[in-house]
Amino acid sequence: MENLFWIGFIGAVIAGLFAVMQAKKVMSYSEGTERMQKIAANIRAGANAYLKQQYTTVFKVFVVVFVILLILAFATGGKMLSKFTPFAFVTGGIFSMLAGFIGMKIATNSNARTAQAASESLNKGLRVAFSSGSVMGFTVVGLGMLDITMWFFLLRYAFGVNDPLALGNIMVMNGMGASFMALFARVGGGIYTKAADVGADLVGKVEAGIPEDDPRNPATIADNVGDNVGDVAGMGADLYESYVGSILATFALGAVGGYGWNGMLLPVVLAVCGIVCSILGSFLVKTKENATQESLLKSLRTGTYTAAVLAAVLAAPLTYWILGSWGVYIAILCGLIGGCAIGYFTEYYTSDTYKPTQELAAASETGSATIIIGGISLGLKSTMTSILIVAAAVLVSYFAAGGTIQIVDGAGHFTAAFNQGLYGIGIAGVGMLSTLGITLATDAYGPVADNAGGIAEMSGLPETVRQRTDALDSLGNTTAATGKGFAIGSASLTALALLVSYVNIVQENTDEILNFTLTSPTVLVGLFVGAMLTFVFTAETMSAVQKAAQSIVVEVRRQFKEIPGIMEYKADPDYASCVGLCTKGALHEMVVPAVLAIIVPILTGLILGPTGVVGLLGGVSVTGFAMAVFMSNAGGAWDNAKKYIESGHHGGKGSDQHKAAVVGDTVGDPFKDTSGPSLNILIKLCSTVSIVFSGLILAFNLMKML
C-alpha cells in the first residue's frame, strides 16, 4: 500500500490548479473606479509592508530554533532527536508562511473587485469574495498535501526508513515548524488587526460619531490592512497547521495501532477525497438578489454540507478497501458529523438570525455594561455544546475503532486495542478537517467582504452597495466563527492524538515504566501549570491588543485635533502613521506570547520530567479548548449584535444603543480575532514542542536527579 502514497501529490496538484483557476477568475473582474483602485493599492502596500517585517522578525527566531534542533540532533547522533526534524521544521514553517502569504495576496486584490461586483448585484459580490476565499482554502490543503507527501517519499525511499513506527514518529515531529509559524502569524496579525479596529471604533464611531470605514478616520486604512494580515494571512497559517497536524498525528497512531503503511495511507486518501468533494461543493455556493441573511447562510451551508456528505459516502469504500474496518469508518463519520455540528451551533450562537444574538442586541437598551455581561454569558454558555460534541466524537470514535476500557496490560504497556481506539480518535480529526478546502473558503471570504465594505464607504459608492457588502460582511462574521469552531474542535482531537504520541515516544526511549495517572504528583502539578499557561497566554495576547490599541486611540485623537479640515473633508488624514504604529506594536507585542508557548513545556519537562509534561498537555488542552470556544463565540456574537442594530433594530446607527453595541464589539474584537483563535495553536504547539524535545527531557530532568 505504501506505493499508493503518490496520490498525495495528485491531491496537491488538483487543489493547486483549482486555486489558480479561482485566482484568474477573481482577477478578471473590474477593480472599479480610480478612487477604489487607489484605496485598494494603499491597503495592499500596508499589508505587504507588515508581512515583510513580520517574516523578517520570525526568520531570526527560526534560525535560532533551527540551530538548537541541529545541535540536539547531530551532537547526540540522532538519539535525542531525529536528524531529519530540523529540516522538516524549516519546510513546515515555509509552507505555513506561503499559505498565509498567498491568501493575503489574493485577498488584497479581491477587495475592490468585490465592492465593484456588489455594485452590480449581491450574488456577483458573493461569487467574487467566495472565489477569493477558495484560493486561500485550496492553497492551504494543496500545500499541506505537498509537504506531507514530499517528506514521506524522502524518508521512505531517499533515506530508507522502512519501519512504519519509526517513520511515523519522525513525521509527527514535522508539524512543529508549521505550528511555530502559525502562532507568530496568528498572534502578530491578530494584534495588528484588533489594535487598528479598536482604535478606529472607539474614537471614530463612539467619540466622533462618524460611520465605520469613514475616510476621515486616520485608522481606517490600518483597520482594512489588519483584516488581511490577521484574518487572512494569520488564519491561513493557522488552519494549514491544523490540517497538517491532524494528518501527522494520525500517521504516528496508525503505526502504533498496528495498521502499518495502510494506517498512514488512509488519512492521505481521505484528505485527497475531501479536496475533490470541496471543489464540487464550491460550485453550489450562489444566491439570489435581495437575499436575506438566512438565505446567504443557506447558500454557503449548501456547499459545505454537500461536500461533507460526498466525503462521507466516498470514505466508506475507501476505508474498507485500505483497512478492512467499518469501525474506523464510523470514527471518520464522527469527525465529519462533529465538524458540521460544531459549525451549526457556532452559527446558532453568533448569527443575528437566531435568538441568542438578537437577545444580546436587546441588552444594548440598558447600556454597554449589560451588553458586555450578556456577551460573556453567551460565550460561556456556548462552550457546552462544543465540549459535548467533541466528547461524544472522542468516545464513539475510540470504541468504534476497537478501543476497550482496559488500556494497559500486565506489564504496564498500552494494549493493542487501546492504540487502535486512539487511531480512531486521530482519524476522526482528519475527517473533521477533510473538507477544509470549502470550509476555509467560506471563512476567508469574510475579510474580503469586510474590506469591500470599507472601500465602498471610502469611495462614496451608493448606500445600496454598502448594504450589500454589510450583508456579506455579517455573514462573514458567522462563517469566520464557524471556521474557528472547526479549528478549535479539530485541535482538541489532534491534541489528544499528539499527547498519546508523546507518551508512546517517551515510553519507547526508556526502560522505566512511567506513571502517567492522576495519582502522580508530577502529573497533577503539570495539569495546574497547563491551566495556568492558558490563562497567562490569553492575558498576554489581550494585553498586547490593549497596548497597541491605546497608541492608535492617542494618534487618531491627535490628528482630529491638530489637522484642521479633516471632519469637513478639506484635509486628508495621515493614514501611514497609524499603519506604522500598528506594525510596530504587533511585532513588539507578539514575541512574549509566542515564546511562552515554546519555553513553558520545555521548562516543565526539565523540572517535572516526562510525566509532568503529560499533565501540562492535558491541562492546556482542556482549558485552552473551553477558553477558545468561549472567546470566539462571545466575540462573534458581539460583532453581529452591533450589525443587527445597524440594520435598523433598537434605534439603529448613531443611537445610544448602537454606541453600547460598539463598546461590546470592541471588547469582543481581541476575543474572537486574537486570543481565541491563537489558543488552538497553543494547544498543538505545546504538544509538538514536547514531542520534539522529549529526548532532552528524558535525559535531563530534576525529578530524575532526586
Side-chain angles (χ1 to χ4, degrees), residues 265-322:
L265 178 64
L266 182 59
V268 174
V269 171
L270 280 179
V272 175
C273 176
I275 289 171
V276 175
C277 294
S278 294
I279 291 172
L280 294 173
S282 67
F283 290 114
L284 300 177
V285 178
K286 53 188 176 182
T287 190
K288 297 178 181 178
E289 195 55 40
N290 300 320
T292 62
Q293 182 76 5
E294 192 173 353
S295 61
L296 285 169
L297 274 171
K298 186 179 178 181
S299 172
L300 292 181
R301 217 184 280 145
T302 300
T304 53
Y305 286 180
T306 300
V309 170
L310 287 173
V313 172
L314 291 174
L318 290 170
T319 304
Y320 193 76
W321 174 58
I322 295 172

Side-chain angles (χ1 to χ4, degrees), residues 169-189:
N169 287 343
I170 294 170
M171 290 288 287
V172 79
M173 297 182 185
N174 290 3
M176 181 176 164
S179 296
F180 202 78
M181 184 67 224
L183 188 64
F184 275 102
R186 215 14 150 170
V187 172

